[in-house]
Amino acid sequence: MATDTPSNDGLKNGQQGAREGLLGACSKLVAELSHPSETMLALLWSQPTHLSIIRTGVEMKLFRAMIDVEPAGETPTEIASKCEPQAEPLLVGRMLRHLAAMGTVRGTGPDTFAPTPTSNAFAEPAYEDSVLFIVDDFQPALNGMPSYFRQNGFKCPDSGVDCQFQHAFDCKGLHLFEYFQQRDPEMGRRFASVMEAWSKGRPRWFDSEYYPVKERLISGADNSAPFLVDVGGGTGHDIEGLKQAFGADIPGKLVLQDRHEIVELAQLDSSIEKMSHDFLTEQPVKGARAYYLHSIIQDWNDEVNSQILRAIVPAMKRGYSKILINDFVVPNQGAHWAQTCLDWELMASLGARHRTEAGHANKGTYVEYPDRFGATYAATLQAVYAGIPDYTVPTGVLRCYSRITRQNKELLVTIGIIAAAHCEGMLADLVVDMAESGAIDGLQTVVNTGKSVY
Ligand SMILES: C[S@@+](CC[C@H](N)C(=O)[O-])C[C@H]1O[C@@H](n2cnc3c(N)ncnc32)[C@H](O)[C@@H]1O
């Protein structure tokens, strides 16, 4: 039976997206079945207490203490004796009972508990750091929302130096990334860990269904040129993953760039070059096959993003180098919670936002004042002014008599189609589809050389 509902078969066969589809269906089912008061209690009681226990558990190494517990489970007394510092068994028992109720550990019998893949993950440094960052360093910015908005007239911040983070930490004028360096390097280190933990369990950018690295980058690459520069690549989980996935097939040098204090923390395969670089200044690695920016454009407003991208342009080799931007584009309807909550977090920490499909269209905004073409606005230059792709499609020939040359003439008739910024591929596909489906009367796919086009 053909159906759009995610099925178990896809999950068994490892079909991409099947697991996520089933998870989404389960969440909808829970939302549908829950009484509003149950939803409220989950939101206000079970989840905050769950997080509070996880935060405390990280502090006393509870999850590390559980790693070697056999599937049959151990008592709170046994587990408490392995915590650091050792904890009261009564306390550990109360924590484990709520963790079991929330599915983070497993209750295996009366007062016995065993670990799960989730509790084992919370014993890993990247997860521990993530919990510490979110609860200790980020939660204050969320808590300060009401007073921030009261002071700022319920408008979205559009600056990374005057948003909820600065409001909560009383540091107006100091960007989050500067704050890490100048006031709290440990917070910066934890943030880099969050980025690493976030990449786990998600499709990686170099998976063939995500981005065809072989076809688009390796094929045609020059062995003597740098292959890929991970611009603002954090501590390098993306570039390290690329190296592991393609090994010796990578034809040139790999370079990880970030702020000095972040690059210093990266522990990478020795073949990957680490380089401190401020991406607001000219890109020093020239002629690379690709300049990769993951979760960078989302962090800044359009003005700074223009500066980041312009700084790469002089390094690019015409017809060879590519800029790869890996960011969410939030659908205008039915966005996933992972996108919508991150959008809120981007606002709170960086005064930034996730671009929606509509936002990417840059409707009615010109990236630059069009003085290069004179002050007069010309409709035919719309695409150039707005920095958006356009395509001119021949649709037919108009035969007429010229009273000036006194000859019969054939004039080519065309239509111009423009699309939203960054939609070059979509526009090219659209034109091909239109040609193949006969959507536009007279659209020709083959033109002649010589005096007449058809
Ligand atoms: C959201 S993180 C993304 C990290 C990594 N690309 C990833 O996806 O995990 C943004 C990164 O930009 C870096 N960054 C911020 N300002 C920078 C600057 N001026 N020059 C270079 N890197 C910068 C931060 O240190 C941080 O690692």
Side-chain angles (χ1 to χ4, degrees), residues 177 195 232-234 237 258-259 262 277-279 294-296 299:
F177 296 125
M195 298 311 299
H237 59 94
D258 206 290
R259 296 172 59 99
I262 300 297
H277 169 59
D278 175 358
F279 54 42
H294 186 190
S295 300
I296 299 298
D299 291 353

Side-chain angles (χ1 to χ4, degrees), residues 175 177-178 180 188 191-192 194-196 198-199 202 230-238 256-263 275-281 292-296 298-300 308 326 346 350:
H175 194 277
F177 296 125
E178 297 290 331
F180 292 161
F191 176 82
V194 175
M195 298 311 299
E196 187 195 329
W198 185 42
S199 73
R202 299 167 63 221
D230 191 352
V231 182
T235 46
H237 59 94
D238 273 338
L256 171 73
Q257 291 178 340
D258 206 290
R259 296 172 59 99
H260 178 71
E261 68 277 12
I262 300 297
V263 159
M275 184 184 286
S276 306
H277 169 59
D278 175 358
F279 54 42
L280 296 169
T281 63
Y292 172 75
L293 298 102
H294 186 190
S295 300
I296 299 298
Q298 61 166 29
D299 291 353
W300 304 91
I308 293 172
N326 187 0
L346 285 173
L350 298 163

Side-chain angles (χ1 to χ4, degrees), residues 328-406:
F328 283 142
V329 177
V330 182
N332 295 331
Q333 189 180 1
H336 191 271
W337 62 260
Q339 299 172 323
T340 50
C341 71
L342 196 55
D343 177 56
W344 195 251
E345 293 184 353
L346 285 173
M347 173 175 74
S349 53
L350 298 163
R353 71 194 152 90
H354 266 152
R355 272 61 170 183
T356 57
E357 281 172 359
H360 266 288
N362 275 349
K363 282 188 191 136
T365 58
Y366 297 132
V367 288
E368 267 176 22
Y369 177 68
D371 58 353
R372 280 176 295 165
F373 304 99
T376 318
Y377 178 82
T380 47
L381 290 175
Q382 240 173 4
V384 182
Y385 289 172
I388 56 178
D390 72 343
Y391 221 103
T392 303
V393 182
T395 56
V397 169
L398 188 67
R399 295 194 165 77
C400 60
Y401 176 73
S402 164
R403 278 178 288 168
I404 298 169
T405 61
R406 300 185 180 192

Side-chain angles (χ1 to χ4, degrees), residues 14-55:
Q15 189 187 315
Q16 210 200 8
R19 191 184 62 83
E20 292 82 353
L22 283 170
L23 269 179
C26 293
S27 305
K28 278 191 193 145
L29 185 65
V30 170
E32 201 63 39
L33 288 179
S34 298
H35 187 278
S37 96
E38 287 169 326
T39 305
M40 184 192 75
L41 293 182
L43 199 60
L44 302 183
W45 282 1
S46 68
Q47 289 169 9
T49 48
H50 188 200
L51 185 57
S52 160
I53 290 171
I54 290 174
R55 167 67 184 89

